[in-house]
Amino acid sequence: MKKNKLLLLTLILLPLFFTSSCGDDPLITELVENRVKVLLKGTFESDDSVPAWSVSGPSVFYLDISEIRADGDKFANYRYVDSIPLNETNGFFNGQGLNYKSDDLYIDEKYDNLQLYIRKMGFDNVSPSTNTFYFNGKDVPGYDFNLKQIYLESGPDEDDTNLVFPLLAPVAGSINYDGEGEWVVEVRVVIKNNIKQYSTSDGITFWAIEDNINDVSNESSVGYIGGNLAAIAYAYKKDYTGTITVPSATDYLVAIPAEDDISEYVSGKIPPYITNQTGVLKNIPVGVPMNVFTTSLSQTNILKQTTSTHYIPVATDVILTVPEENASY
Amino acid sequence: MKKTFAILLLFLSMVMLWEDLSASNLRRKDDFMKPQAGIWFGPGMPLFELYDKVEPALGGGAFFRLNTPLTYFKVGGEVGYQKHRSQGVNAISLVPIYGNLLFLLPIKFPMNFQFKLGAGGVKVYIKPEEKEQFDPLFMAGLEVSFMAGRMVNFGLRFDYMVIYEKHISGAKYNGYFFNTGLTLYFNL
């Protein structure tokens, strides 16, 4: 009986022993809540200095993304399906951005690319107008051009390189997630004011995103329309950013991480920070050296450039030291 | 009328069978009152907020039980493991280590019903944060088992586990899990 009592006492004390050595990190809360938010934009500009739609034709953009990965990590394995109106009411086209559901990233991992697995993209206003495609559980009038975006930079490729499943969005300055605070990952695919009409050999005329490297006007004999989309991503810690102001800037003001060379930003690769006319670049991360440029070219021309000579340097190695700081040049 | 008679006959034979089993139950209960050790495995399910983040998964563990001076009470110790993944990057691994008090329902029935209450610690590891720590754990459960021979028990167990984290500053949630398992244990 004595032995039993001793055992009983040990068993009662055992939980107390474990309880006393417990950690003080709220792990369940960390797992349930997200620190990383993904913003999806269909604009050329990185902020809300976005001009209105100037293309007349389609009125709805159909978008179906199955997931977004960061260097293969399935951190946003959630589907997004939406019919987005071609006006300024939706965050996708007005510069505010759409929230894309996500989980968190691995801490201290360096991410250089995001992969957008785009299932469907289409516009309405197709000819013949009876043409429909299956989208979000029903047939909608329009044309799904996503399957035709299989084209290589240099021309038609026999390997059918798929450019949208996934669509590669390089991360300017890479994501150096530290697991602290709230992070925003912005992904931009230039769709607004960057569309054109194509025709298929079957006589269907449809709207699609312009190929930003090759001048493709009709579907090729093997059914391609190009598909070199301009996509870029960048990340910053919320409330740990400042602004760069160039009051004299009248056209596009551009900033890239100083570790990148501006000559990389050609042939459809757009700089992460672009603002139109306001002269203020927002959400510049603190402590990251940035190079600032202006350019007088239009959106369409910037996308088509094969050299970076049109970017005129304004300032180099601009480093913000405290949040909400404004660097003026 | 024939049907009623048949049902009555079935009922009577069941009562007789019951009585028979109850008679042997006394001996069996004596065997059940020995120290026990065993294993279990079965599906574990994250509940509430965690249900949206990770998926149910197989878990398992080992345990031992000792008698106490009180006839229908036993004390036990358990260790287990379960890892819940998701379609994305989220995952949580648990290694619960706890002690519990078991109460055997004092009824004459071929099956043994035991209620469990326990406390201890749980090693929690989460992804993608890649953090781990020890948290307090509380559990309550029910176990239904029957004896196959004098040594072997088969059973079903239902455990409700609470990973208590709300005492930590900044914590908004506790972790809740419901484990169901098949168990095999021996009267030693």
Side-chain angles (χ1 to χ4, degrees):
Chain A
M1 195 60 84
K2 219 173 191 182
K3 204 171 132 197
N4 259 345
K5 274 186 181 165
L6 198 71
L7 264 169
L8 192 65
L9 195 72
T10 319
L11 279 170
I12 291 167
L13 287 177
L14 205 66
L16 290 175
F17 165 73
F18 285 131
T19 316
S20 64
S21 62
C22 285
D24 52 4
D25 233 350
L27 295 192
I28 304 291
T29 310
E30 283 269 5
L31 188 61
V32 171
E33 298 202 327
N34 288 347
R35 292 184 182 277
V36 179
K37 311 262 185 259
V38 178
L39 278 182
L40 193 63
K41 294 178 179 180
T43 58
F44 178 71
E45 291 79 3
S46 57
D47 56 18
D48 51 10
S49 66
V50 181
W53 269 99
S54 61
V55 181
S56 63
S59 58
V60 176
F61 176 56
Y62 301 103
L63 180 64
D64 186 344
I65 301 179
S66 67
E67 64 167 308
I68 300 177
R69 294 183 193 173
D71 285 345
D73 281 344
K74 299 176 174 182
F75 85 112
N77 195 0
Y78 301 100
R79 194 171 163 196
Y80 183 88
V81 192
D82 203 3
S83 311
I84 303 166
L86 267 62
N87 56 36
E88 320 311 313
T89 58
N90 192 294
F92 192 67
F93 288 132
N94 70 12
Q96 305 282 347
L98 286 176
N99 284 312
Y100 195 99
K101 194 177 175 190
S102 69
D103 297 317
D104 291 344
L105 293 160
Y106 285 96
I107 295 166
D108 295 335
E109 192 91 3
K110 196 166 169 280
Y111 293 102
D112 295 317
N113 285 292
L114 294 187
Q115 291 95 26
L116 281 74
Y117 287 79
I118 305 173
R119 302 180 77 225
K120 284 177 187 180
M121 281 198 282
F123 287 103
D124 65 343
N125 195 20
V126 66
S127 168
S129 58
T130 49
N131 197 75
T132 60
F133 72 101
Y134 194 69
F135 179 81
N136 203 10
K138 58 179 186 290
D139 285 322
V140 294
Y143 190 82
D144 175 14
F145 59 85
N146 207 40
L147 293 169
K148 298 196 176 288
Q149 306 205 98
I150 36 175
Y151 200 69
L152 271 193
E153 284 183 21
S154 52
D157 183 69
E158 287 175 2
D159 292 337
D160 282 6
T161 304
N162 191 323
L163 296 175
V164 286
F165 202 86
L167 166 67
L168 213 63
V171 183
S174 55
I175 308 174
N176 301 302
Y177 175 60
D178 61 2
E180 304 285 327
E182 206 173 295
W183 280 71
V184 179
V185 176
E186 290 200 18
V187 196
R188 279 179 6 250
V189 183
V190 186
I191 297 169
K192 192 173 193 181
N193 297 328
N194 187 35
I195 61 175
K196 73 190 283 183
Q197 219 164 9
Y198 298 80
S199 314
T200 71
S201 47
D202 309 336
I204 299 171
T205 308
F206 61 96
W207 288 89
I209 304 167
E210 207 168 329
D211 187 305
N212 290 307
I213 294 174
N214 302 310
D215 190 13
V216 186
S217 52
N218 284 317
E219 184 193 77
S220 71
S221 56
V222 276
Y224 302 152
I225 61 161
N228 293 298
L229 307 183
I232 192 81
Y234 62 99
Y236 55 88
K237 196 192 279 192
K238 208 178 169 188
D239 303 324
Y240 202 65
T241 59
T243 51
I244 295 175
T245 311
V246 182
S248 60
T250 51
D251 301 309
Y252 282 110
L253 185 62
V254 164
I256 62 163
E259 66 179 58
D260 286 0
D261 200 301
I262 189 67
S263 62
E264 296 167 24
Y265 290 92
V266 293
S267 301
K269 184 174 178 182
I270 55 165
Y273 294 94
I274 309 175
T275 188
N276 178 15
Q277 291 172 344
T278 58
V280 183
L281 290 162
K282 296 171 189 162
N283 298 327
I284 305 290
V286 170
V288 179
M290 305 293 284
N291 289 347
V292 186
F293 303 86
T294 56
T295 175
S296 56
L297 295 185
S298 66
Q299 170 185 322
T300 315
N301 283 333
I302 292 171
L303 287 168
K304 290 266 185 277
Q305 288 302 309
T306 51
T307 65
S308 61
T309 46
H310 62 102
Y311 289 119
I312 301 152
V314 177
T316 51
D317 286 327
V318 180
I319 302 183
L320 303 178
T321 49
V322 287
E324 290 180 46
E325 184 184 339
N326 176 43
S328 192
Y329 292 92
Chain B
M1 193 65 196
K2 243 182 182 175
K3 208 173 167 186
T4 319
F5 185 72
I7 290 170
L8 209 68
L9 197 72
L10 196 70
F11 181 70
L12 269 170
S13 56
M14 271 178 76
V15 169
M16 279 163 75
L17 194 70
W18 174 297
E19 279 303 307
D20 184 44
L21 281 171
S22 307
S24 67
N25 212 22
L26 285 173
R27 179 176 58 77
R28 293 192 155 210
K29 278 276 191 272
D30 289 341
D31 288 321
F32 196 77
M33 290 304 166
K34 287 177 177 171
Q36 297 167 322
I39 51 163
W40 72 273
F41 81 98
M45 193 162 76
L47 302 174
F48 310 122
E49 295 86 6
L50 279 178
Y51 181 76
D52 296 331
K53 289 285 166 179
V54 289
E55 294 179 342
L58 267 189
F63 57 87
F64 68 90
R65 277 147 197 187
L66 302 170
N67 295 319
T68 64
L70 299 164
T71 318
Y72 294 106
F73 288 91
K74 281 172 182 271
V75 286
E78 300 223 6
V79 58
Y81 176 76
Q82 58 200 85
K83 179 174 184 176
H84 300 268
R85 297 165 208 269
S86 69
Q87 295 291 321
V89 285
N90 293 330
I92 185 167
S93 307
L94 307 175
V95 182
I97 305 167
Y98 60 92
N100 54 13
L101 185 69
L102 295 97
F103 171 65
L104 175 67
L105 212 60
I107 52 164
K108 284 187 176 180
F109 196 69
M111 287 208 231
N112 295 313
F113 293 86
Q114 291 183 102
F115 294 95
K116 302 181 283 188
L117 269 181
V122 55
K123 188 95 177 174
V124 181
Y125 174 72
I126 58 164
K127 269 180 159 183
E129 284 78 8
E130 292 179 315
K131 290 179 183 170
E132 65 172 18
Q133 74 180 22
F134 230 74
D135 278 326
L137 172 86
F138 300 99
M139 62 80 61
L142 168 71
E143 202 171 296
V144 184
S145 62
F146 65 91
M147 286 171 68
R150 303 186 62 163
M151 241 189 105
V152 181
N153 299 279
F154 288 108
L156 262 179
R157 40 184 277 163
F158 309 93
D159 292 331
Y160 180 72
M161 296 200 302
V162 182
I163 300 167
Y164 178 56
E165 276 203 346
K166 278 195 182 167
H167 67 101
I168 301 166
S169 74
K172 290 182 191 164
Y173 310 101
N174 289 329
Y176 300 94
F177 287 85
F178 187 74
N179 288 347
T180 318
L182 289 172
T183 177
L184 166 72
Y185 57 103
F186 303 95
N187 308 322
L188 304 172

